């Protein structure tokens, strides 16, 4: 298979190209950190934590507000209040 100037001669080469493309695409695609729906399917709100940009949809926002502990793995180092953990 030849893609422009790139000549792919094995399945391994195709896999490397595919996963590289997926990584680049995922970095550019904005999606809810909880349900993974993209900005093409639902409005997203941007939030930041420790300098990292994240997105959450309106449907999942109450989860972030009222049950933050359920999303704690998305925010390493987050400090949870006792009421949020219950």
């Amino acid at each position: 298979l030849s893609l422009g100037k790139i000549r792919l001669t094995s399945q391994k080469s195709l896999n490397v190209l595919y996963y590289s493309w997926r990584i680049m695409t995922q970095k550019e695609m904005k999606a809810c950190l909880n349900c993974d729906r993209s900005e093409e399917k639902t409005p997203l709100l941007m939030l930041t934590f420790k300098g990292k940009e994240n997105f959450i949809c309106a449907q999942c926002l109450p989860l972030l507000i009222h049950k933050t502990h359920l999303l704690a793995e998305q925010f390493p180092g987050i400090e949870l209040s006792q009421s949020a953990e219950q």
Side-chain angles (χ1 to χ4, degrees):
L1 175 65
S2 180
L3 296 173
K5 294 183 178 183
I6 301 172
R7 185 169 181 82
L8 303 174
T9 57
S10 69
Q11 184 64 38
K12 186 175 181 180
S13 297
L14 285 171
N15 288 344
V16 169
L17 182 63
Y18 172 74
Y19 288 112
S20 297
W21 172 80
R22 289 280 297 166
I23 289 169
M24 290 184 336
T25 303
Q26 287 174 347
K27 286 182 181 176
E28 294 172 9
M29 185 185 337
K30 295 177 176 109
C32 176
L33 61 88
N34 184 56
C35 68
D36 208 34
R37 288 189 297 165
S38 75
E39 64 182 337
E40 299 296 319
K41 298 190 185 232
T42 188
L44 296 174
L45 300 167
M46 186 187 74
L47 57 108
T48 59
F49 180 71
K50 294 191 174 187
K52 184 178 176 199
E53 195 175 89
N54 293 284
F55 298 90
I56 194 160
C57 71
Q59 185 174 353
C60 295
L61 184 59
L63 185 67
L64 179 65
I65 295 168
H66 301 290
K67 297 185 179 185
T68 307
H69 63 284
L70 297 176
L71 296 174
E73 66 183 39
Q74 300 289 339
F75 302 102
I78 192 169
E79 294 181 15
L80 299 172
S81 66
Q82 291 296 329
S83 62
E85 295 176 8
Q86 297 174 0

